[in-house]
Amino acid sequence: MATKHEQILAYIETLAVGEKISVRRIAKDLQVSEGTAYRAIKEAETKRLVSTIERVGTIRIERKKKENIERLTYAEIVNIVDGQVLGGRAGLHKSLNKFVIGAMQLEDMMRYTEAGNLLIVGNRYKAHEYALRAGAAVLVTGGFEAADQVKKLADEFELPVISTSYDTFTVATMINRAIYDQLIKKEILLIEDILIPLEGTAHLHHKETISRYHELNEETTHGGFPVVDHTNKLVGIITSRDVIGHSATELVEKVMTKDPLTVSMQTSVAAAGHRMIWEGIDLMPVADDYGKLKGVISRQDVLKAIQTAQRQPQQGETIDDIIKSQLHQQISDKLILEFRVTPQMTNAYGSISHAAYTMILTEAASAILKTKNRKDSVLENASIYFLKPVQLDALVLVRPQILDISRKSAKVDVEVALENEIVGKAMLTFQLLDR
């Protein structure tokens, strides 16, 4: 039986895209309290099922697939630029495929403006009208209004006309930043990307006997299985270690490990892998917010996914990507890396920031571990010494050295030098991942 919360989310998904919803309406239609309705709508917003806009309300928007995540809706544009909707509210749920900056003659501007676009322009009223007739929405910058005729057209064509107090350059930067953030999110591997779904997951019922465990073990050759109750709620996990010394007629619930570690569909693969390595487990169940089993992930799946992701070309660069791209290996018998301090790496005083410094030391240590055919490692501990500040544009040498390495861990010393003077040192301990 679904909870009230689940029922509300399911109901929201059945609503037509573009439909306006409210806490009061949900509470009345589904006979729930307004508090329950409010919490469910907030979760729907997190899941990108709806978008809430100040002075407009909450609108059902199209749920985007991960491959199209960088396409923003007009409702999201309103929130990004702190905008006010002047007309065409019925089209806020629509997605835009590109934005055009109106910084040219009207005829030239219209050559570039097509259906599904967003024209970013100031108080050029003819441009507003022409854009709407071409099927494009309009974002008016500088806090200017739109003509009444334009507002009527916007309502007629269901294309939003939005006003923002920011200037055109700032607005374009804000939208680009939002798209860029979406690209980075798109590249992050989540559990939902590698999950073995429930229909392909062998699992046991808590009232079954150990003999059923042995049957599944022979059928699948897997050593561990999640355990569920009659509502499909995860209640435990059972492995070969749990069944040793127990008779075949004993119930699974008597020997299973209760309250096992779980991850959600939105957990990153890296975080899940880190946790599995830390806890020394090979199989982890995936559960939803209500504890229902959604599938399982194995350590092999996680490692394979991480290795594949490392070989992918990056579209949206994070600060880590920028720093990694600055590290270059010198031609030398020993591994010596060099990097130049760029403006992105500095703090307010023009010297390298602690975060960038730590990232460089970690990357250098990982690089030398890779030379020992240890492709995957997880940082466990770091002692870092900042001896002298490193200024912008300085060319710095990083010299990592392995002090100790075993099958499961490694200790690496890293020395940072500027013009033959030691400016920093670090001792880093890593856990090494079994293939």
Side-chain angles (χ1 to χ4, degrees):
M1 180 78 180
T3 63
K4 287 179 181 178
H5 194 87
E6 290 173 299
Q7 287 170 14
I8 296 168
L9 287 173
Y11 172 72
I12 289 171
E13 289 206 58
T14 65
L15 296 175
V17 171
E19 194 167 337
K20 197 170 173 182
I21 63 173
S22 69
V23 169
R24 191 169 294 171
R25 178 190 155 186
I26 294 279
K28 185 181 175 184
D29 288 355
L30 298 182
Q31 299 292 297
V32 296
S33 71
E34 290 193 359
T36 303
Y38 175 79
R39 285 190 293 275
I41 287 172
K42 281 294 165 193
E43 186 173 334
E45 201 170 345
T46 304
K47 291 184 172 182
R48 302 173 72 87
L49 292 171
V50 300
S51 185
T52 301
I53 306 167
E54 199 176 336
R55 298 185 299 275
V56 172
T58 303
I59 297 161
R60 172 79 167 93
I61 60 171
E62 190 177 355
R63 190 172 194 167
K64 295 173 215 166
K65 292 182 180 175
K66 199 167 183 183
E67 52 271 23
N68 295 324
I69 200 168
E70 68 271 21
R71 290 183 66 169
L72 300 171
T73 63
Y74 295 122
E76 289 171 311
I77 294 290
V78 176
N79 288 330
I80 290 164
V81 302
D82 298 326
Q84 182 181 351
V85 182
L86 304 178
R89 290 183 181 185
L92 284 168
H93 65 278
K94 296 175 183 175
S95 295
L96 64 137
N97 47 37
K98 72 171 182 178
F99 63 88
V100 179
I101 296 175
M104 54 192 92
Q105 293 290 338
L106 186 61
E107 294 77 14
D108 296 325
M109 201 189 303
M110 288 308 108
R111 279 214 326 263
Y112 290 98
T113 307
E114 301 167 347
N117 291 179
L118 175 69
L119 177 66
I120 303 172
V121 69
N123 56 342
R124 299 176 67 179
Y125 302 114
K126 275 288 180 194
H128 301 170
E129 185 180 334
Y130 282 21
L132 290 170
R133 292 190 184 280
V138 179
L139 177 54
V140 185
T141 58
F144 293 108
E145 269 282 335
D148 290 340
Q149 184 188 351
V150 167
K151 293 177 187 177
K152 284 178 187 173
L153 273 178
D155 290 335
E156 183 186 331
F157 295 149
E158 295 187 352
L159 287 167
V161 173
I162 305 157
S163 175
T164 177
S165 57
Y166 295 110
D167 62 84
T168 302
F169 176 79
T170 304
V171 162
T173 305
M174 291 165 85
I175 296 173
N176 262 327
R177 176 74 261 175
I179 293 170
Y180 203 64
D181 288 348
Q182 299 285 34
L183 280 170
I184 291 170
K185 285 181 186 175
K186 178 178 167 182
E187 289 164 10
I188 295 170
L189 273 174
L190 302 177
I191 292 301
E192 65 182 4
D193 299 320
I194 67 163
L195 173 77
I196 301 167
L198 188 58
E199 50 270 23
T201 301
H203 57 281
L204 288 162
H205 189 273
H206 68 132
K207 293 297 182 186
E208 289 182 305
T209 61
I210 290 175
S211 62
R212 177 60 186 147
Y213 166 85
H214 291 305
E215 286 172 21
L216 272 183
N217 178 242
E218 282 186 27
E219 285 171 25
T220 64
T221 70
H222 296 162
F225 305 99
V227 183
V228 297
D229 64 11
H230 64 282
T231 65
N232 206 43
K233 188 175 181 180
L234 181 74
V235 292
I237 194 164
I238 186 167
T239 66
S240 54
R241 287 193 294 269
D242 297 319
V243 302
I244 292 171
H246 295 279
S247 72
T249 56
E250 199 156 353
L251 292 178
V252 165
E253 67 179 354
K254 298 289 185 185
V255 300
M256 70 183 185
T257 302
K258 294 177 181 176
D259 302 320
L261 291 172
T262 64
V263 287
S264 74
M265 299 282 267
Q266 296 304 307
T267 303
S268 74
V269 169
H274 191 278
R275 198 169 178 191
M276 291 175 86
I277 293 151
W278 229 246
E279 302 291 343
I281 52 180
D282 295 317
L283 189 78
M284 190 178 274
V286 181
D288 64 15
D289 294 341
Y290 313 103
K292 300 280 180 71
L293 182 67
K294 306 303 287 183
V296 292
I297 53 166
S298 69
R299 188 193 288 222
Q300 287 79 6
D301 294 331
V302 168
L303 292 181
K304 197 183 294 180
I306 290 171
Q307 287 165 359
T308 304
Q310 286 170 350
R311 293 193 289 270
Q312 299 303 310
Q314 298 299 304
Q315 287 181 298
E317 281 192 315
T318 62
I319 295 296
D320 283 9
D321 295 324
I322 292 167
I323 290 170
K324 285 177 192 176
S325 69
Q326 298 296 328
L327 280 168
H328 303 289
Q329 186 173 347
Q330 279 196 343
I331 299 169
S332 168
D333 294 339
K334 291 184 176 180
L335 180 68
I336 300 175
L337 301 168
E338 65 176 19
F339 74 91
R340 190 172 292 280
V341 180
T342 64
Q344 297 100 322
M345 298 183 196
T346 58
N347 58 24
Y349 309 107
S351 58
I352 191 167
S353 72
H354 287 190
Y357 199 81
T358 304
M359 177 68 202
I360 286 159
L361 295 167
T362 307
E363 277 301 307
S366 296
I368 198 164
L369 287 175
K370 284 177 184 174
T371 65
K372 296 296 180 185
N373 210 22
R374 296 285 186 175
K375 292 200 183 326
D376 300 291
S377 55
V378 177
L379 180 65
E380 185 176 28
N381 189 34
S383 298
I384 299 170
Y385 304 93
F386 302 94
L387 304 179
K388 292 187 179 177
V390 179
Q391 297 302 306
L392 177 65
D393 286 332
L395 186 65
V396 181
L397 297 184
V398 187
R399 296 190 278 260
Q401 181 184 1
I402 297 174
L403 299 180
D404 180 55
I405 189 166
S406 66
R407 193 171 65 85
K408 290 198 170 183
S409 67
K411 289 186 178 69
V412 183
D413 175 80
V414 186
E415 197 173 74
V416 183
L418 176 63
E419 296 176 353
N420 296 321
E421 185 180 12
I422 304 299
V423 293
K425 278 188 78 71
M427 167 75 79
L428 302 104
T429 308
F430 290 84
Q431 277 210 17
L432 304 177
L433 280 62
D434 291 329
R435 302 284 178 77

